Amino acid sequence: MKIHNFSAGPCILPQVVFDKMAEACIDFNHSGTSIMEISHRRKDAVEVMDNARALVKELMNVPDTHDVLFMQGGASLQFPVIAYNLLKEGGKAAYLQTGKWAENAIKEAKRFGDIDVIGSSADNHYNQIPKDYTIPTDVDYFHCTSNNTIFGTQMKSFPQSPVPMVCDMSSDILSREIDVAQFGVIYAGAQKNMGPAGSAVAIVQKDLLGKTGRNIPDYLNYATHLKKESSFNTWPVLAIYGVMLNLQWLKEQGGVPAIAKLNTAKAEMMYAEIDRNGLFQGTAHVDDRSQMNATFKLTQEALKTEFDALLKQAGVDSLNGHRDVGGYRASMYNALPLESVQVLVEVMQHLEQKMG
Ligand SMILES: *Cc1c(COP(=O)(O)O)cnc(C)c1O
């Protein structure tokens, strides 16, 4: 049976990525060696990293003022790394608190200095994005989360920031067009929309580095990774190969503008059914609904067993909401075909017919 994978992350990837990764595990580039046993400094491994970085630059139109690096530790390691690299000794930073991941980013940054939470939707169970906030001019940077994976909200636009804007784009990077020049740093854990788990990408405005007065450990210093072209130490060759293949696939689809159109079509289809079907209710504020993660719940909790059984029958997988919030969450990352959303919508209609 075909499985329709709505997982919030690690996410669905194109079949061609799985096929080529599987092949490389046995015999990478007809070299007679597995990609898992080769040096990250071998020529064809270096090409993987170079291609992955170049593809991020190309697909996101990264300007010359910025550079791209990969690190391990996921987005969670980026939380302290951001502060380490940008928050001056005795300095201050402003954060927008829009969900659990933003909370974690704030918690880590607080170890390094004064954190001003200038807007928060915590009191509304994070069902919306705060709009009424002012970014102070006396902070080292402003941090926001573009897409709140758990709560299903997304920033539709970004503020004009008087200070460098840092953004956690883990769950919507490469899903829509953005202007990289607007940001001081963009970072993302790979496994939501960019590739398999095992790396994080950071797109860094180069002239922001080296100003904190801190003695940063080499691995946690962005400057190290930029200088060494993301080959400071042993990097996960298989994982980055997966990222590279996924980016190549995205380029073949027509790049970010083309996938953005498809993502909009998927989200419209999904939310149209959530709004039409009386058995379901969306949980995020309509204006702030995420195109990546649609969160919703049953209006009659008693139907859960029935609905879950229908989902299973149709091959709809990983639709459960985050363990902290319950309900359902349809994650519709780049590689999820429109057809999968169609199948989910049909299951929702099937439930309605059965109850009617
Ligand atoms: C998943 C997620 C994270 C954490 O990512 P890890 O790579 O698991 O550390 C951080 N921010 C956002 C927005 C996420 O969706």
Side-chain angles (χ1 to χ4, degrees):
M1 181 174 61
K2 181 165 170 51
I3 295 295
H4 301 280
N5 183 7
F6 286 87
S7 169
C11 72
I12 183 173
L13 291 168
Q15 187 60 40
V16 62
V17 172
F18 298 136
D19 291 345
K20 289 191 176 166
M21 285 181 80
E23 197 185 305
C25 284
I26 307 297
D27 183 6
F28 180 50
N29 284 345
H30 308 292
S31 63
T33 41
S34 164
I35 193 166
M36 290 181 285
E37 62 178 338
I38 65 168
S39 166
H40 57 293
R41 306 204 186 273
R42 200 171 89 175
K43 187 167 171 293
D44 48 0
V46 173
E47 275 170 20
V48 168
M49 181 57 92
D50 289 350
N51 281 338
R53 293 173 70 218
L55 281 161
V56 171
K57 287 181 192 173
E58 182 183 341
L59 290 164
M60 295 182 70
N61 294 316
V62 175
D64 290 343
T65 46
H66 291 58
D67 204 353
V68 174
L69 61 90
F70 286 97
M71 289 171 66
Q72 295 188 61
S76 295
L77 184 62
Q78 296 297 306
F79 296 155
V81 162
I82 287 293
Y84 229 150
N85 282 266
L86 300 180
L87 189 50
K88 296 190 179 86
E89 285 281 8
K92 206 161 91 168
Y95 276 67
L96 200 56
Q97 188 174 31
T98 52
K100 171 95 184 312
W101 296 116
E103 280 178 12
N104 288 0
I106 290 164
K107 177 174 155 229
E108 295 292 351
K110 278 186 171 164
R111 300 181 201 276
F112 294 85
D114 217 0
I115 301 306
D116 191 359
V117 177
I118 58 172
S120 173
S121 46
D123 290 347
N124 303 316
H125 305 288
Y126 294 124
N127 69 355
Q128 64 187 88
I129 305 280
K131 311 263 174 354
D132 251 354
Y133 60 89
T134 311
I135 303 169
T137 53
D138 65 341
V139 293
D140 293 333
Y141 63 90
F142 161 66
H143 182 285
C144 57
T145 312
S146 57
N147 185 70
N148 298 285
T149 325
I150 296 172
F151 300 93
T153 61
Q154 186 174 32
M155 295 175 77
K156 300 293 159 182
S157 63
F158 294 94
Q160 285 298 331
S161 176
V163 295
M165 179 158 57
V166 176
C167 188
D168 176 0
M169 287 195 192
S170 292
S171 51
D172 67 353
I173 192 165
L174 295 157
S175 72
R176 58 173 171 170
E177 290 180 270
I178 55 129
D179 177 12
V180 173
Q182 254 193 297
F183 300 89
V185 179
I186 292 169
Y187 66 92
Q191 71 280 4
K192 301 277 166 51
N193 204 33
M194 204 171 60
S199 74
V201 71
I203 305 168
V204 181
Q205 186 182 321
K206 291 174 279 189
D207 67 4
L208 296 180
L209 301 181
K211 293 182 176 166
T212 62
R214 295 183 192 274
N215 185 12
I216 310 173
D218 283 344
Y219 190 84
L220 304 181
N221 194 337
Y222 280 146
T224 306
H225 297 281
L226 291 183
K227 188 162 148 234
K228 301 283 186 180
E229 300 181 321
S230 287
S231 220
F232 165 64
N233 70 335
T234 315
W235 46 272
V237 182
L238 178 60
I240 299 291
Y241 185 57
V243 169
M244 186 202 83
L245 293 171
N246 190 41
L247 296 175
Q248 282 174 343
W249 171 85
L250 179 54
K251 188 176 166 182
E252 281 159 21
Q253 306 307 302
V256 174
I259 212 77
K261 247 187 224 151
L262 179 64
N263 288 334
T264 300
K266 288 185 291 187
E268 279 174 358
M269 184 186 282
M270 189 68 233
Y271 286 116
E273 181 61 17
I274 290 170
D275 290 341
R276 187 206 61 79
N277 192 324
L279 299 182
F280 297 94
Q281 190 178 19
T283 51
H285 203 282
V286 174
D287 294 339
D288 300 326
R289 281 174 165 176
S290 166
Q291 290 212 339
M292 293 281 99
N293 318 93
T295 48
F296 58 99
K297 56 186 186 189
L298 281 161
T299 47
Q300 304 164 48
E301 195 51 34
L303 296 179
K304 183 167 168 51
T305 311
E306 180 76 35
F307 184 50
D308 288 352
L310 291 176
L311 290 170
K312 193 150 195 242
Q313 264 173 37
V316 173
D317 199 63
S318 302
L319 197 73
N320 279 332
H322 187 273
R323 60 189 182 280
D324 290 350
V325 297
Y328 295 93
R329 170 173 54 169
S331 296
M332 302 171 285
Y333 296 115
N334 285 356
L336 186 87
L338 187 68
E339 178 213 339
S340 292
V341 180
Q342 183 74 50
V343 167
L344 172 54
V345 164
E346 281 162 13
V347 173
M348 293 163 79
Q349 293 173 350
H350 190 175
L351 183 71
E352 184 185 38
Q353 283 150 16
K354 277 191 130 177
M355 294 307 128

